[in-house]
Amino acid sequence: MRAPGAAAAVPARRGRLRVADRVYARIADQAVREVLAEVWAGRSVKAAPPHVSVAVPGSTVRVRVAVELPFPADLAGLARGLRERVGAQVAGLTGTRVSEVVVVVEKLVTWGTW
């Protein structure tokens, strides 16, 4: 609580918040793992862990996600789900605008019988 008669701090003098790149990466990694847990549930084969990297040019975040996905599957739908979840969680938890989420499918892992 402010003392009576104390002036409010001018917004420009309050300072600023800097979120470390590794924080963005951890949030994005958790979002990717949540989506992939749903995708791989009940399957006998598993994929390698995802790889997430971020770039923070200015006041926005760019995220790159490299994953292995099951095949056959709706790859476009899975990629869209990853982009949406990562973008929403990073923006929601940090307040930083996500300019781009790139999903790179490194490998398709076959499962089941055809």
Side-chain angles (χ1 to χ4, degrees), residues 39-40 42-45 69-73 109-114:
V39 170
W40 289 100
R43 299 181 196 238
S44 59
V45 295
L69 295 177
F71 185 80
V109 179
T110 57
W111 65 280
T113 58
W114 295 29

Side-chain angles (χ1 to χ4, degrees), residues 7-17:
V10 178
R13 293 187 184 164
R14 288 185 197 157
R16 65 181 211 187
L17 175 66

Side-chain angles (χ1 to χ4, degrees), residues 24-35 52 85-86 89:
Y24 291 117
R26 293 277 310 256
I27 293 169
D29 184 69
Q30 181 61 38
V32 170
R33 288 175 186 273
E34 290 170 4
V35 172
V52 175
R85 176 86 60 99
V86 168
Q89 281 195 234

Side-chain angles (χ1 to χ4, degrees), residues 19-101:
V19 178
D21 293 0
R22 70 178 183 272
V23 173
Y24 291 117
R26 293 277 310 256
I27 293 169
D29 184 69
Q30 181 61 38
V32 170
R33 288 175 186 273
E34 290 170 4
V35 172
L36 293 180
E38 297 166 10
V39 170
W40 289 100
R43 299 181 196 238
S44 59
V45 295
K46 299 294 179 196
H51 178 72
V52 175
S53 59
V54 297
V56 187
S59 61
T60 64
V61 179
R62 286 193 323 240
V63 181
R64 181 183 184 276
V65 179
V67 295
E68 293 182 3
L69 295 177
F71 185 80
D74 176 11
L75 301 178
L78 291 174
R80 183 173 43 257
L82 285 167
R83 282 192 307 272
E84 289 170 357
R85 176 86 60 99
V86 168
Q89 281 195 234
V90 170
L93 292 173
T94 65
T96 306
R97 187 173 79 78
V98 178
S99 62
E100 178 179 49
V101 177

